[in-house]
Amino acid sequence: MKKLIQLFLFCTVMAVLPLQNTKAESNSSKFFSIGLNLSNGTGDNGSIYLYGPTPVSAYFGPSGGSYGPLTAGTYTVIIYTAAPGSRTFRFNGQAITTTAGSATFNNVSITATAFASVN
């Protein structure tokens, strides 16, 4: 009788395990990642700094770069370039044109993949 009960418990556990894996797989499909894509039209190197829930400090080359994953939230973004002259810096639809070599975007909300550029 004891062996029969042990066999029943073993079979019950083995039957329940696949159901737990199915739940985990369905929940993992809801996960998504937020990133940052940067294009650089200057031909010179630069750097980008994000201050917020996920801090980023990175250099980019003439082709730009991609960074992430990021946590959704409010950020301060600073973009620098070594390119001389007047440049337009863009971040998620905001644009700053300056000869200072950098632009600061304050209190920007990132809730999906963000896009930045330097031209």
Side-chain angles (χ1 to χ4, degrees):
M1 183 70 172
K2 187 176 178 179
K3 292 279 186 188
L4 186 60
I5 292 173
Q6 289 176 341
L7 180 62
F8 175 74
L9 289 175
F10 178 76
C11 290
T12 303
V13 169
M14 295 307 286
V16 171
L17 284 177
L19 295 175
Q20 291 176 344
N21 287 341
T22 303
K23 286 182 182 178
E25 289 171 5
S26 67
N27 287 339
S28 68
S29 67
K30 294 178 185 175
F31 175 80
F32 64 95
S33 178
I34 299 172
L36 168 64
N37 295 321
L38 184 141
S39 66
N40 180 7
T42 68
D44 288 333
N45 297 326
S47 56
I48 186 164
Y49 302 93
L50 277 72
Y51 301 97
T54 305
V56 172
S57 173
Y59 294 103
F60 58 86
S63 61
S66 294
Y67 312 96
L70 302 175
T71 303
T74 302
Y75 288 81
T76 297
V77 179
I78 303 171
I79 306 171
Y80 294 92
T81 184
S86 180
R87 297 292 171 194
T88 300
F89 300 85
R90 294 188 194 324
F91 190 85
N92 270 5
Q94 298 178 38
I96 298 173
T97 301
T98 181
T99 58
S102 69
T104 301
F105 300 88
N106 291 305
N107 298 318
V108 294
S109 177
I110 298 177
T111 57
T113 296
F115 297 92
S117 67
V118 181
N119 291 310

